Amino acid sequence: MSIDNSEYASAMEDAPTQRSEPGLQQQVMSVEFEVTVKDWWIEGGRLVVPKEFRQSFPKPGEPIVLIDYEGRMYRSKMHNLWQGVDVGRIDGIKPFYRNHPIIVPDTKLRIKATGKNTAIVLMGDRPARQITSLSR
């Protein structure tokens, strides 16, 4: 029994060192922010991750899963907007915009990164549309 306990104790001594690595800490981080949808995001099936939140998302080329506010999942990969700038984008999510035609340019989306490879997209504020033909 003492041999088993010493192996367990040895394993426990190693565990804190592994948990303190920066990569593992980022995986359990959670961040929330809002983004305002641009017209070219909808056309291109993109979602841009602002520079200040980029470190909470996967590196370019790594997979990401978006979960919309209705629980549907959209699998994609992270990309860079341009070379040398630490701003990211998620491409290949035209189905997301097709499933939510109420998301138009200037709609605010709330993004919650729940892990290094998963983000939840919540509906934020929709822009107020002016209806001039009905006001007469």
Side-chain angles (χ1 to χ4, degrees), residues 2 25 67 72 76 117-118 122:
S2 62
Q25 285 179 350
I67 302 170
R72 288 181 279 218
S76 187
N117 62 354
T118 305
L122 303 167

Side-chain angles (χ1 to χ4, degrees), residues 12-116:
M12 291 308 289
E13 288 173 4
D14 294 339
T17 306
Q18 292 171 350
R19 282 190 203 123
S20 64
E21 291 177 10
L24 294 176
Q25 285 179 350
Q26 286 182 346
Q27 288 180 354
V28 295
M29 275 180 56
S30 180
V31 66
E32 277 189 65
F33 59 93
E34 282 191 351
V35 292
T36 302
V37 175
K38 309 269 191 276
D39 197 22
W40 62 273
W41 295 11
I42 296 171
E43 283 181 32
R46 296 181 175 102
L47 181 66
V48 174
V49 177
K51 179 179 178 178
E52 56 268 27
F53 304 108
R54 180 67 189 88
Q55 72 281 357
S56 298
F57 284 80
K59 294 178 182 172
E62 291 182 352
I64 179 115
V65 175
L66 294 181
I67 302 170
D68 69 11
Y69 45 90
E70 293 179 356
R72 288 181 279 218
M73 294 173 51
Y74 305 87
R75 297 179 193 282
S76 187
K77 289 185 179 177
M78 291 299 299
H79 297 270
N80 268 343
L81 277 180
W82 52 83
Q83 199 67 14
V85 179
D86 198 20
V87 176
R89 74 173 196 252
I90 301 167
D91 281 3
I93 57 167
K94 277 189 181 180
F96 169 76
Y97 292 112
R98 273 192 228 117
N99 286 336
H100 301 291
I102 58 173
I103 297 176
V104 294
D106 297 327
T107 301
K108 287 190 182 183
L109 296 176
R110 285 189 306 245
I111 313 297
K112 182 177 182 181
T114 57
K116 200 68 169 151

Side-chain angles (χ1 to χ4, degrees), residues 105-136:
D106 297 327
T107 301
K108 287 190 182 183
L109 296 176
R110 285 189 306 245
I111 313 297
K112 182 177 182 181
T114 57
K116 200 68 169 151
N117 62 354
T118 305
I120 299 172
V121 181
L122 303 167
M123 188 68 181
D125 299 329
R126 290 191 343 200
R129 295 275 180 178
Q130 293 181 351
I131 303 174
T132 54
S133 61
L134 296 177
S135 60
R136 291 183 186 169

